[in-house]
Amino acid sequence: MGGDVCCGMTEFHMKNAASGELDAFYATRPECQGDVPKTRFKPKSGKTLSARKWHSAFSQDGRLDIAKVLSRIQRGGIHPSIKGVVWEFLLGCFNPDSTFDERSELRQCRREQYGTWKAECQKMVPTIGSGKIITAPIITEDGQPIQDPSSNGELQDNGAVTSITPDAPMENGEPAVDAALEKRVIQWKLNLHQIGLDVLRTDRSLVFYESEANLAKLWDILAVYAWIDNDVGYVQGMNDFCSPMVILLENEADAFWCFEHVMRRMRANFRTTTSSIGVQSQLCTLSAVIKVVDPKLHQHLDPNTATESIATKGNDKLLKKYGKFERKNIKTGIADQQHTALSVFLVAGVLEAKHKRLLKEAKGVDDVVKILNDTTEKLDAKKACLDALKIQKKYLSKTKKQ
């Protein structure tokens, strides 16, 4: 009897807490509420990973029973109050077999490292860390400062690009300029206003981003990441991956490291020059898969949606800039059959499931996107995975015969 009462009270508090926390995390601006679908998450007593179950999954010294946690997440999701700390483990920021002390030490080291990088960026652009963001270019293509219209004729504080460090060698009594570093600084500064513009567009339906401080937090993290990852820098779309980390984790450095771990998995998709080769390779592979498993759908979609994804096939000059593996993927439209990402087959499965509707309604890219984003058609994750495996098996079987 007592156990039933206790279980009932736990479920009651869980549902009420979830409702309040969902409102706090994901509150929508009044004028946007009609356009934003409501969350379907509902805490399930005995299934959802609650704060109590989360804490009980740790040993006395802090080692996490990750299998137990994953099983509960699969059955009932994660309670909003602990999503941030759970994602730190799911993204690989922390080893489940580490202790409380080891994680505390690692967290402190990471926060100090982020602080060092941010301070380095702030020396070059004082706006970073000021609680404000940049939305207009601050330098020209050759690194010269651009006059700020609001400064009454004075140059912006960010100034021209200089890449001289305190320990730089001297030439004729003057500090030598590192050409490679100067180029890196210019490219980084040229990106800052684009980051700012994208930040202003990020999750604008959420009350969270009515706060200038929260916008600045997102901008700072993206600006610092763009500086330390010189190979990728900043590409549109990274803001959408970073935003959930900013919302879920209060500490800016912790949010940065979660985003950094996301990018370890996603950065290949953001390698760009004049086009997104990483994403492009996946689109070409998807096109090849659909062509094999559903030729009729491929014939209908290809003229409408695949033109831009095969546009560089004949651009040998562009392809020469990329490695042998990427060049092969772009030219053939087919990745290594045994290593094609499951995500490609997931999308292929969804496309085939909507075969009839796509053939009937899709006359262009906008129509395809609208059909795929239709929230009235509930997507069953388990069925989607099973369909993806069937598509993969069908694709491999047919290509082996060719």
Side-chain angles (χ1 to χ4, degrees):
M1 178 74 174
D4 292 338
V5 172
C6 181
C7 182
M9 288 300 292
T10 299
E11 183 175 1
F12 173 78
H13 286 302
M14 194 174 174
K15 286 184 177 179
N16 280 278
S19 176
E21 281 151 2
L22 281 171
D23 288 342
F25 282 128
Y26 315 116
T28 306
R29 293 161 56 190
E31 65 272 24
C32 301
Q33 289 177 357
D35 301 322
V36 179
K38 293 187 177 181
T39 178
R40 295 176 179 174
F41 173 76
K42 293 181 180 179
K44 301 175 183 177
S45 180
K47 294 184 179 181
T48 296
L49 180 64
S50 64
R52 182 175 65 83
K53 289 293 184 181
W54 169 249
H55 294 307
S56 70
F58 289 91
S59 66
Q60 190 171 1
D61 64 350
R63 301 179 197 278
L64 177 65
D65 185 345
I66 190 66
K68 179 180 177 181
V69 165
L70 291 175
S71 175
R72 188 165 285 274
I73 292 173
Q74 184 182 29
R75 286 183 291 153
I78 307 171
H79 194 266
S81 62
I82 57 170
K83 269 193 174 182
V85 293
V86 174
W87 271 105
E88 287 185 296
F89 283 87
L90 297 182
L91 291 172
C93 295
F94 295 121
N95 185 339
D97 198 40
S98 61
T99 65
F100 288 128
D101 289 340
E102 289 170 342
R103 289 196 295 275
S104 178
E105 182 178 352
L106 179 57
R107 187 185 294 279
Q108 185 58 34
C109 286
R110 284 175 172 167
R111 287 179 176 180
E112 290 175 1
Q113 178 63 78
Y114 177 71
T116 299
W117 284 333
K118 187 173 180 179
E120 185 178 343
C121 293
Q122 194 172 29
K123 285 182 180 178
M124 295 184 286
V125 179
T127 305
I128 291 174
S130 70
K132 299 184 180 299
I133 66 175
I134 288 173
T135 56
I138 59 174
I139 61 169
T140 60
E141 292 288 337
D142 60 355
Q144 296 304 307
I146 293 177
Q147 181 175 305
D148 183 353
S150 65
S151 62
N152 296 321
E154 297 180 4
L155 292 178
Q156 293 192 30
D157 291 339
N158 298 319
V161 170
T162 56
S163 54
I164 300 170
T165 63
D167 300 321
M170 305 291 285
E171 289 183 359
N172 300 322
E174 297 290 335
V177 175
D178 185 328
L181 179 58
E182 181 178 21
K183 183 179 179 181
R184 179 187 173 192
V185 173
I186 290 175
Q187 185 55 54
W188 176 69
K189 286 190 173 185
L190 288 172
N191 269 334
L192 293 178
H193 78 283
Q194 184 59 60
I195 297 175
L197 291 173
D198 288 347
V199 162
L200 291 180
R201 302 185 187 109
T202 305
D203 294 329
R204 293 308 293 157
S205 61
L206 297 181
V207 172
F208 181 85
Y209 283 118
E210 288 184 336
S211 164
E212 189 174 3
N214 291 334
L215 290 171
K217 183 177 172 182
L218 177 60
W219 185 74
D220 284 349
I221 290 175
L222 291 168
V224 173
Y225 183 85
W227 171 247
I228 66 164
D229 189 347
N230 186 46
D231 189 30
V232 173
Y234 174 77
V235 181
Q236 285 181 302
M238 288 166 59
N239 52 308
D240 293 316
F241 286 101
C242 187
S243 179
M245 312 308 162
V246 173
I247 295 171
L248 293 172
L249 291 156
E250 184 176 354
N251 185 280
E252 183 178 313
D254 296 344
F256 169 86
W257 283 107
C258 271
F259 173 63
E260 191 271 344
H261 276 70
V262 169
M263 288 301 298
R264 291 185 188 188
R265 305 181 185 202
M266 301 299 297
R267 67 195 304 274
N269 288 343
F270 289 100
R271 292 178 185 275
T272 62
T273 52
T274 57
S275 63
S276 298
I277 291 297
V279 173
Q280 186 177 30
S281 176
Q282 290 186 338
L283 287 173
C284 288
T285 303
L286 174 62
S287 177
V289 171
I290 293 296
K291 186 175 183 179
V292 170
V293 301
D294 195 338
K296 189 174 182 180
L297 180 61
H298 176 270
Q299 186 177 6
H300 179 75
L301 291 179
D302 195 66
N304 298 323
T305 62
T307 303
E308 58 268 46
S309 70
I310 61 174
T312 62
K313 281 188 179 181
N315 192 340
D316 293 332
K317 185 177 180 181
L318 176 63
L319 291 175
K320 286 179 181 179
K321 297 180 180 180
Y322 299 92
K324 181 179 179 181
F325 179 74
E326 288 293 349
R327 288 200 300 270
K328 179 182 176 182
N329 287 350
I330 296 302
K331 286 185 175 181
T332 64
I334 302 176
D336 185 338
Q337 294 177 1
Q338 299 298 330
H339 297 91
T340 300
L342 180 60
S343 59
V344 172
F345 292 107
L346 280 169
V347 177
V350 173
L351 287 172
E352 190 173 44
K354 297 179 181 290
H355 170 101
K356 291 182 179 179
R357 189 175 173 191
L358 287 167
L359 289 178
K360 183 179 179 180
E361 301 178 24
K363 293 184 173 64
V365 177
D366 290 342
D367 294 331
V368 175
V369 172
K370 183 179 180 181
I371 292 170
L372 294 181
N373 287 337
D374 188 347
T375 58
T376 63
E377 298 181 8
K378 186 176 181 181
L379 178 65
D380 186 322
K382 184 176 181 179
K383 183 179 183 301
C385 289
L386 291 174
D387 288 344
L389 293 174
K390 288 179 182 178
I391 292 286
Q392 183 184 44
K393 185 177 180 180
K394 183 178 179 181
Y395 172 69
L396 293 176
S397 175
K398 287 194 173 185
T399 52
K400 283 181 181 177
K401 294 177 182 178
Q402 294 177 353

